[in-house]
Amino acid sequence: MSNAVFAYLGVELVSITFGEAENPRKSIKRAIKLTFYRILFFYILSVFLLSCTVAYNDPNLLSGGSTAAASPFVVAINNARIKVLPHIVNACILIFIFSASNSDLYIATRTLYGLSANGKAPKIFSRTNKSGVPIYCLGFSCLFCCLAFMVCASSSKKIFGYFVNVVSIFGLLTWISILVTYLYFLKAVKAQGYERTRDFTYYAPFQPYGAYFALFMCILIAITKNFTVFIHGFDYKNFITGYIGIPVYLCCLFGYKLVMKSKRVIPEEADLVTYKDVIDAEEEEGKIKDEEYKRSREGKRFDALWFYDFFLAWLF
């Protein structure tokens, strides 16, 4: 369960890029829908195909340990006796890892900068260089990469397991926060007379029931995902890494409320319109650019740009 949660973490990244996106009402709506289809294609479909080609007790799957040879993709290809392709798959995995590391550094930097700009983190993190890059946030985020040197003291498989435990619990707590915020947002929308299907560019289906179900599942998984530490003796290392996020989260949450004396936001008084004028202006600019782009593409079909827009851009 920890590994599954760890694999799906990052889908919330699309909402954080909202602050950097041009014409977000168009681009974010598309990105959210594409994220769902990418999960369906790259995750669920690939897992289904792997389960059809690799047995759960395949000796190659179990003997690979923490090496790339244990990858079910590599095992499936080797079982089919296809040469060279396993090396290509491993090369692709390396590229994906670099991509994930890049996006994680971006998201950590962007979040810390946002906290600092709103007075919820030290002011030094809101400083930028001449190009507008928050270099202090980036440098501080890069320091956590040094945790990789923990493999010098123990096996990479064990250290990776600790990282998975820590990241998955904090990821679940992030999702819980998003879901609770969203449910309160829905209450504010209803209390102030807005209609999701009328006044919003994108509205999620099955709400609020989908959010309540997701919230229940996230809480259940957060509590039970490391239950194995209690079965065969008490594994304190996995217990700490698996559940350390919960007390840290609660201390930060209630500590902030005590220190800052913050109060619960009443749905009727929630601010739903600040910065709306900025997004409205961006949307109008986006419409003008779209029209200019359409005019520039008149009479041009099936070229490299068309292939990118209708195939590569949708896929990646």
Side-chain angles (χ1 to χ4, degrees):
M1 193 66 76
S2 297
N3 289 330
V5 171
F6 179 79
Y8 280 88
L9 287 176
V11 293
E12 72 279 2
L13 196 143
V14 67
S15 62
I16 299 178
T17 58
F18 173 89
E20 310 289 343
E22 186 180 55
N23 193 6
R25 286 198 182 123
K26 177 184 176 182
S27 56
I28 298 300
K29 175 185 176 181
R30 181 185 181 188
I32 290 171
K33 289 185 175 181
L34 287 179
T35 298
F36 170 76
Y37 292 118
R38 285 165 185 160
I39 290 173
L40 197 65
F41 180 78
F42 287 112
Y43 281 57
I44 298 174
L45 180 61
S46 63
V47 169
F48 171 73
L49 293 175
L50 284 173
S51 66
C52 293
T53 55
V54 181
Y56 74 95
N57 58 352
D58 190 299
N60 295 320
L61 188 67
L62 301 175
S63 63
S66 58
T67 66
S71 167
F73 292 97
V74 175
V75 172
I77 296 167
N78 283 330
N79 289 347
R81 297 180 181 178
I82 302 173
K83 297 180 179 180
V84 182
L85 190 56
H87 302 295
I88 297 174
V89 170
N90 285 332
C92 290
I93 290 172
L94 279 175
I95 294 172
F96 299 155
I97 291 170
F98 277 118
S99 174
S101 301
N102 185 46
S103 63
D104 287 340
L105 278 177
Y106 162 76
I107 217 72
T109 303
R110 184 70 182 81
T111 303
L112 185 57
Y113 174 80
L115 288 170
S116 178
N118 284 284
K120 295 178 175 63
K123 282 294 181 184
I124 190 173
F125 292 124
S126 58
R127 296 180 185 177
T128 61
N129 62 10
K130 293 180 180 179
S131 301
V133 177
I135 52 175
Y136 295 104
C137 289
L138 180 60
F140 183 74
S141 300
C142 286
L143 290 177
F144 289 90
C145 298
C146 297
L147 290 171
F149 288 110
M150 290 172 63
V151 298
C152 297
S154 188
S155 70
S156 59
K157 183 179 181 181
K158 186 179 292 186
I159 296 301
F160 182 71
Y162 295 154
F163 281 152
V164 168
N165 281 339
V166 173
V167 171
S168 59
I169 187 62
F170 277 110
L172 284 166
L173 291 169
T174 300
W175 285 349
I176 290 170
S177 300
I178 291 171
L179 289 163
V180 171
T181 304
Y182 179 70
L183 288 169
Y184 274 93
F185 168 75
L186 288 183
K187 289 183 178 180
V189 166
K190 186 176 181 180
Q192 296 184 28
Y194 293 101
E195 287 287 340
R196 292 193 311 127
T197 56
R198 181 193 65 200
D199 300 317
F200 292 94
T201 304
Y202 174 80
Y203 55 92
F206 312 118
Q207 299 305 330
Y209 309 107
Y212 279 116
F213 175 74
L215 180 61
F216 169 77
M217 290 303 298
C218 285
I219 294 173
L220 179 66
I221 295 169
I223 295 172
T224 61
K225 73 181 185 70
N226 284 98
F227 75 95
T228 51
V229 299
F230 304 104
I231 296 177
H232 303 294
F234 182 67
D235 185 352
Y236 73 93
K237 290 182 180 179
N238 276 313
F239 173 79
I240 293 172
T241 55
Y243 293 106
I244 186 66
I246 296 176
V248 170
Y249 176 83
L250 293 175
C251 287
C252 289
L253 177 65
F254 293 107
Y256 179 85
K257 291 186 73 68
L258 288 173
V259 173
M260 304 302 294
K261 296 180 174 60
S262 61
K263 296 180 180 179
R264 180 171 170 267
V265 178
I266 301 172
E268 290 78 7
E269 299 177 359
D271 184 4
L272 301 177
V273 295
T274 298
Y275 300 123
K276 181 179 179 297
D277 55 337
V278 178
I279 305 301
D280 289 340
E282 281 193 19
E283 186 177 27
E284 292 303 316
E285 290 179 9
K287 289 178 181 178
I288 295 171
K289 289 182 179 179
D290 287 343
E291 288 298 322
E292 292 176 350
Y293 178 74
K294 287 180 181 178
R295 286 195 295 268
S296 69
R297 295 293 299 165
E298 287 180 0
K300 298 177 182 178
R301 293 289 304 275
F302 310 115
D303 56 3
L305 187 58
W306 173 86
F307 180 78
Y308 175 82
D309 284 341
F310 287 91
F311 289 97
L312 293 181
W314 280 88
L315 187 60
F316 298 109

